[in-house]
Amino acid sequence: MKFGILGPLTMHDNGVSYLPTAPKQRQLLALFLLNANRFVAIDAAVEELWEGNPPRTVIPTLQTYVLQIRRALAASPTLGSLTEAHKSLITGNRGYFLMVPPHSLDLMEWDQLVAEGREAQRRDDDAEMARKFRRALSLWRGPALGDVQAGPLLRAHVNRFEEARLSVTEQCFEAELRLGYHHDILSEIGDVAAQHPLNENLQAMYMLALYRAGRQVRALEVFRHLRRSVSDELGVEPSAQLRRLHEAILSADDRLEMTTHDQRFATTSRVSVR
């Protein structure tokens, strides 16, 4: 049995979906998966499903949803019976545990790969860091739980996951720029930068990749567009680091071409030009 939350919710066995179709059941399953192998209190499930306005029959209704999830689990060949489903989705003291084996949930694989990427980062191993982060990012199939009705608990988790996804994406780009992969990732950086027009780090990386790809004029246009955007929307100027990058592009500073093997210049706005 495989589960997925880094995109539309999935629950399948040997390529066949056993996902419940009712919105509340899917919402509850998503909450269990976000807390895989951990206790989910009844109070938390009620808050997620009804946001402070539960029905009078809240406990029987919740128990019915749990039963339907167990039936969906039991229908899969891996479990095959309600008895086995009860061993997978366990009733505890005022709550539930969904037991998920290692490598059965994409979120677990994401966490492992990101941790391995962070370890490579601590060793200054850009190539390994980029490989791990690329594998982690490949697990995403769209917005997390994009097809699930989300209550307050799911919304908080989804926001945190999307922030983590963006952070890993930025750090992956940084490593790949240090490795000199600007031609390979130029289009991708441009797409992500367009989705986050006020993110100065992404705009700086896009400017640097454009410059290294021989597109100095376009890199300067990106800076002008960012300056107008932050001025109009926030009433401020771009950061000092970004302005220094802009000046270096204007003067065709040789240090802009340097990568990991001979690096004295920033690959992003996070490091200042000296």
Side-chain angles (χ1 to χ4, degrees):
M1 180 73 75
K2 296 284 188 180
F3 303 93
I5 62 175
L6 301 180
L9 180 65
T10 60
M11 184 175 90
H12 58 82
D13 196 350
N14 293 321
V16 177
S17 176
Y18 295 91
L19 188 67
T21 57
K24 290 291 187 185
Q25 294 166 27
R26 291 160 60 90
Q27 187 178 0
L28 184 59
L29 174 61
L31 182 65
F32 289 154
L33 287 170
L34 286 169
N35 294 276
N37 304 320
R38 297 194 301 270
F39 179 75
V40 176
I42 286 176
D43 289 346
V46 170
E47 175 62 19
E48 169 59 31
L49 293 175
W50 290 288
E51 297 194 51
N53 188 30
R56 286 183 298 174
T57 58
V58 60
I59 297 303
T61 300
L62 180 62
Q63 291 171 338
T64 298
Y65 293 160
V66 171
L67 175 60
Q68 295 304 320
I69 293 173
R70 284 192 176 121
R71 285 176 174 168
L73 290 167
S76 70
T78 296
L79 296 180
S81 70
L82 270 176
T83 299
E84 292 301 313
H86 273 274
K87 296 177 183 178
S88 181
L89 179 51
I90 302 168
T91 299
N93 182 19
R94 297 282 303 169
Y96 300 93
F97 297 82
L98 179 60
M99 308 308 293
V100 178
H103 311 299
S104 296
L105 175 62
D106 55 6
L107 178 60
M108 292 179 175
E109 189 174 357
W110 160 267
D111 287 340
Q112 180 62 36
L113 288 167
V114 170
E116 292 171 0
R118 299 263 186 256
E119 177 57 32
Q121 186 178 34
R122 285 189 286 272
R123 301 194 309 269
D124 294 323
D125 187 342
D126 283 331
E128 181 66 7
M129 172 185 166
R131 279 194 294 271
K132 294 296 184 181
F133 283 174
R134 280 289 170 187
R135 284 181 58 192
L137 291 167
S138 73
L139 298 172
W140 287 77
R141 297 167 284 108
L145 297 172
D147 63 342
V148 174
Q149 172 183 301
L153 304 186
L154 287 188
R155 286 196 295 269
H157 279 291
V158 166
N159 290 340
R160 179 169 59 85
F161 292 152
E162 292 295 345
E163 289 171 2
R165 180 187 187 184
L166 180 59
S167 176
V168 169
T169 299
E170 289 185 52
Q171 291 173 76
C172 185
F173 287 159
E174 290 169 359
E176 290 170 336
L177 282 172
R178 288 193 294 269
L179 292 164
Y181 298 164
H182 43 276
H183 283 292
D184 304 274
I185 64 175
L186 177 59
S187 177
E188 186 180 1
I189 294 181
D191 289 343
V192 179
Q195 295 167 25
H196 303 275
L198 300 181
N199 183 314
E200 290 196 353
N201 192 47
L202 282 169
Q203 303 307 317
M205 286 190 285
Y206 187 34
M207 289 166 60
L208 181 60
L210 285 165
Y211 179 84
R212 287 182 175 175
R215 299 176 62 185
Q216 181 185 29
V217 172
R218 177 64 184 128
L220 295 173
E221 288 175 352
V222 170
F223 179 81
R224 286 195 294 271
H225 179 75
L226 175 65
R227 171 175 270 172
R228 285 195 301 270
S229 296
V230 297
S231 176
D232 292 346
E233 297 189 31
L234 304 176
V236 299
E237 282 289 303
S239 66
Q241 293 95 331
L242 196 60
R243 294 198 303 272
R244 282 193 287 270
L245 177 60
H246 173 245
E247 292 165 3
I249 291 173
L250 280 171
S251 62
D253 193 311
D254 289 341
R255 293 173 296 169
L256 287 169
E257 299 291 351
M258 295 174 184
T259 58
T260 300
H261 302 294
D262 185 18
Q263 188 176 20
R264 297 191 298 274
F265 190 82
T267 55
T268 76
S269 64
R270 292 177 180 168
V271 183
S272 300
V273 180
R274 293 176 174 81

